[in-house]
Amino acid sequence: MMNERWTVAGSLSAAFSASLCCTLPLAAAGLGLGAASLASAFAPWRPLLIVVVAASLGKGFHDAYKRLPACGEDCPPKSRRGARIGMWLSAAVALSLLGVPYVTGSAAPSAPSDGALVYHVEGMTCAGCEVSVEQAIRSVKGVKSVDASFKDSRAVVELDPKAGKPEDVLAAIEKSGYRARSE
């Protein structure tokens, strides 16, 4: 029973960690906090964490459904119902967390207006990344509007040239943990 709890805890924490690159910026934006550039540090670890989740869930299901050794006539059979329900709930939560980057799509990108700056941004993998990039760009003086798209790997920025510089936008994107270049 204790082993199954550790398996459930391990799979849930790995799933949570694997989704931090997407959920952390969304949570920070929801709380009105600045861009959480630390979130982009989790993106390279996502494939490994997905393997950890799969292995933990596999072990948990194996333990929950394996045949228990017979203990004789003196002991009643142990019920595995709680462990099985716990594993199915854990799997549902873990898969939900792992699905965050694929479910949090973005709105259709708008066509850049005349005079808008377009930046190619590498490393965005989900809507949470878009939020981080947009928050970083909005912190630049003179930015009128910004629209980032992870699907197109770009950010479209309207900048008041009297108040801000395109180099400052580029620096803000890179400071948030992504690589960028002007298009």
Side-chain angles (χ1 to χ4, degrees):
M1 184 69 170
M2 188 62 153
N3 192 23
E4 290 148 0
R5 288 184 183 156
W6 281 107
T7 304
V8 168
S11 64
L12 288 178
S13 43
F16 179 73
S17 298
S19 68
L20 275 179
C21 66
C22 304
T23 56
L24 192 59
L26 293 173
L31 295 172
L33 302 174
S37 61
L38 173 65
S40 63
F42 286 96
W45 292 96
R46 185 170 170 71
L48 175 64
L49 291 169
I50 290 172
V51 170
V52 170
V53 170
S56 296
L57 288 175
K59 171 133 177 48
F61 276 110
H62 175 267
D63 290 347
Y65 283 91
K66 72 180 175 185
R67 185 174 293 239
L68 294 175
C71 63
E73 297 175 17
D74 297 339
C75 64
K78 292 182 183 179
S79 172
R80 306 294 296 214
R81 186 170 188 225
R84 292 174 180 169
I85 290 171
M87 281 310 305
W88 282 106
L89 290 174
S90 173
V93 170
L95 293 175
S96 297
L97 286 170
L98 290 176
V100 167
Y102 308 106
V103 175
T104 57
S106 61
S110 57
S113 63
D114 290 339
L117 303 170
V118 180
Y119 296 92
H120 176 76
V121 183
E122 294 178 25
M124 290 193 297
T125 58
C126 66
C129 298
E130 291 173 356
V131 171
S132 286
V133 170
E134 288 177 355
Q135 284 183 338
I137 293 172
R138 282 192 186 100
S139 70
V140 174
K141 187 176 177 182
V143 171
K144 295 179 184 178
S145 70
V146 60
D147 180 29
S149 170
F150 79 92
K151 292 176 184 173
D152 298 330
S153 298
R154 71 179 193 168
V156 179
V157 181
E158 287 189 49
L159 181 69
D160 179 2
K162 296 176 185 172
K165 301 176 189 170
E167 303 84 39
D168 295 340
V169 174
L170 191 61
I173 295 170
E174 291 182 353
K175 185 178 177 186
S176 70
Y178 301 92
R179 293 173 305 282
R181 62 178 161 74
S182 192
E183 286 187 1

